Amino acid sequence: MYLGISSSLEHGSPEEWARKHKALGLQTVVFPVSCLDGEETISAYKQAADEAGLTIAEVGIWRNTLAADPEERQRWTDYAIRQLRMADAIGAACCVNVVGTPYGPRWDGGYRDNFSSELWDMAVSMIRQIIDTARPRHTKFCIESMPWMIPSSPDEYLRLIEAVDREEFGTHLDVVNMITTPRRYFYNDEFLEECFRKLRGTIVSCHLKDILLKQEYTFQLEECACGQGTLDLDLYIRLASAENPRMPMIIEHLTTDEEYISSVRYVQEQMGTRGYHSVESLANFKQP
C-alpha cells in the first residue's frame, strides 16, 4: 500500500507541503487545493508532489450534488464536474464524494428515504451526468461507502457499479463506514475479506482508521485512530496491498497534525513489526 493522510499539514508553500509528507515516509497525498484555486496554484502543488515522488490519491468534492434546491444541486454538480476534470489533469487515482441527500438539513445525514428507489435513481443519474460531462481518461469517479446512505454494503456497491455502468466509476472503500452491525463489528476480519472479494478489480482508494464498541446501551460504535479500536488493520492492509501494491490508504478524521503524525508512526511500526518493510513484501499476500 501507499500510506497517506487527509491532513495537508501546516505549510507555507507547495514545496513545504510535499516535503513534510515525504519526511513522514508517506507515498501518497490528498490534493489540498480545488479547481477554484486557479491553474497556477494547482500546477504548483502538482509539481511539488511529482518532485517529491508522491502520488495523488484523492481529490475531494464533499458537496451535496443531490441537494433539494435545484440551483444548489446544479451548483454542486458543476463543481463536482470541475473537480473531476482537475483530478484527471493531475493524475489523481480518484475524485470522491458521498452520494448526498435531499431529504434533510444535513447534507450527509441519515434519513429513511436515503434508501428509497427514488434516491437510487437520482444517484445513478447524477453519477452518470458527472462522468459523462467530465469525461475523465485517467481518474475514477467514486462514491465513498457510508453507514446511512448508499452504498452501505459491498453488495450495494456492486449494484451501484452495475447500475451506473461506466468504466470511469470505481470503488472508494471505507470499511469502517460500513461496519454498522454487531456481526460486522465482531467478525470484521470476515467482513474485510467479503469486501475485497466482492469488490475485487474496482477498488482505487481506501480510508484507514479504526472502530471501537462503546459500553453504553444500545449498540454504539465510535470511529477512532488506528490502534485504538478492534479493526484487523493488519488484514486490511494486506488485502488492500494484494488488490493493488500501490493502493492509497488514507488516514483521516483526526484533529491535529500531531495526531496524524502519531497515527502514521503507529501504522509504520505495525508494518515493521510484521515484516512488511516494502510494498513488494505486502504484495506477496494472496487474497482468500
Side-chain angles (χ1 to χ4, degrees):
M1 65 139 178
Y2 274 15
L3 185 62
I5 57 177
S6 61
S7 171
S8 59
L9 301 175
E10 186 177 350
H11 66 277
S13 69
E15 293 76 20
E16 184 184 12
W17 163 77
R19 185 169 62 251
K20 282 190 170 184
H21 282 74
K22 190 70 174 179
L24 281 175
L26 303 176
Q27 299 88 14
T28 194
V29 292
V30 173
F31 206 59
V33 297
S34 80
C35 59
L36 304 178
D37 290 305
E39 289 297 328
E40 184 176 347
T41 299
I42 293 167
S43 296
Y45 276 91
K46 165 63 173 169
Q47 182 177 345
D50 287 347
E51 290 178 352
L54 297 164
T55 68
I56 299 172
E58 302 174 12
V59 166
I61 296 170
W62 316 131
R63 300 292 190 276
N64 193 3
T65 53
L66 292 182
D69 178 71
E71 291 186 4
E72 182 183 358
R73 182 184 302 186
Q74 187 62 55
R75 180 167 68 254
W76 297 138
T77 299
D78 290 344
Y79 176 75
I81 291 165
R82 292 181 62 189
Q83 284 290 86
L84 179 53
R85 284 173 173 162
M86 182 191 74
D88 195 52
I90 63 175
C94 71
C95 182
V96 59
N97 201 14
V98 300
V99 77
T101 181
Y103 300 122
R106 179 172 166 177
W107 79 279
D108 59 351
Y111 307 101
R112 174 178 174 141
D113 285 340
N114 286 354
F115 296 96
S116 66
S117 58
E118 177 188 49
L119 188 284
W120 182 272
D121 291 343
M122 290 167 58
V124 170
S125 178
M126 173 268 292
I127 294 166
R128 286 176 173 174
Q129 179 187 355
I130 290 169
I131 290 172
D132 292 347
T133 306
R135 300 179 65 183
R137 295 179 297 171
H138 312 291
T139 298
K140 298 287 188 180
F141 179 66
C142 296
I143 296 294
E144 181 180 345
S145 45
M146 287 288 283
W148 44 69
M149 57 179 55
I150 62 171
S152 61
S153 71
D155 287 332
E156 209 165 59
Y157 222 136
L158 282 177
R159 284 183 55 222
L160 187 61
I161 290 169
E162 292 170 0
V164 170
D165 192 25
R166 297 292 187 274
E167 290 184 3
E168 301 87 352
F169 187 51
T171 296
H172 185 286
L173 186 60
D174 190 320
V175 171
V176 165
N177 281 1
M178 293 193 292
I179 295 178
T180 53
T181 68
R183 178 80 192 186
R184 289 181 185 177
Y185 177 79
F186 290 113
Y187 293 85
N188 66 75
D189 54 340
E190 294 181 3
F191 184 61
L192 281 162
E193 290 172 351
E194 177 188 355
C195 288
F196 280 92
R197 182 177 67 252
K198 290 181 174 179
L199 295 168
R200 184 176 299 168
T202 71
I203 305 168
V204 293
S205 189
C206 302
H207 278 163
L208 184 60
K209 52 195 178 187
D210 214 331
I211 191 166
L212 185 65
L213 177 65
K214 299 174 74 173
Q215 296 306 304
E216 296 85 353
Y217 287 107
T218 54
F219 182 68
Q220 298 179 52
L221 295 171
E222 182 177 29
E223 178 185 294
C224 55
C226 295
Q228 296 181 10
T230 61
L231 188 70
D232 192 335
L233 295 172
D234 178 49
L235 179 61
Y236 190 13
I237 290 169
R238 286 186 287 140
L239 288 166
S241 299
E243 172 77 7
N244 175 7
R246 292 167 176 78
M247 177 71 75
M249 298 196 79
I250 306 298
I251 296 170
E252 67 160 359
H253 289 173
L254 301 177
T255 304
T256 66
D257 286 357
E258 289 71 23
E259 289 176 347
Y260 276 101
I261 292 168
S262 176
S263 192
V264 167
R265 295 304 184 215
Y266 173 82
V267 173
Q268 291 169 333
E269 288 169 6
Q270 293 303 303
M271 290 174 63
T273 299
R274 288 165 174 78
Y276 303 135
H277 298 288
S278 67
V279 169
E280 287 73 21
S281 62
L282 278 164
N284 290 331
F285 175 78
K286 302 299 183 184
Q287 291 194 48

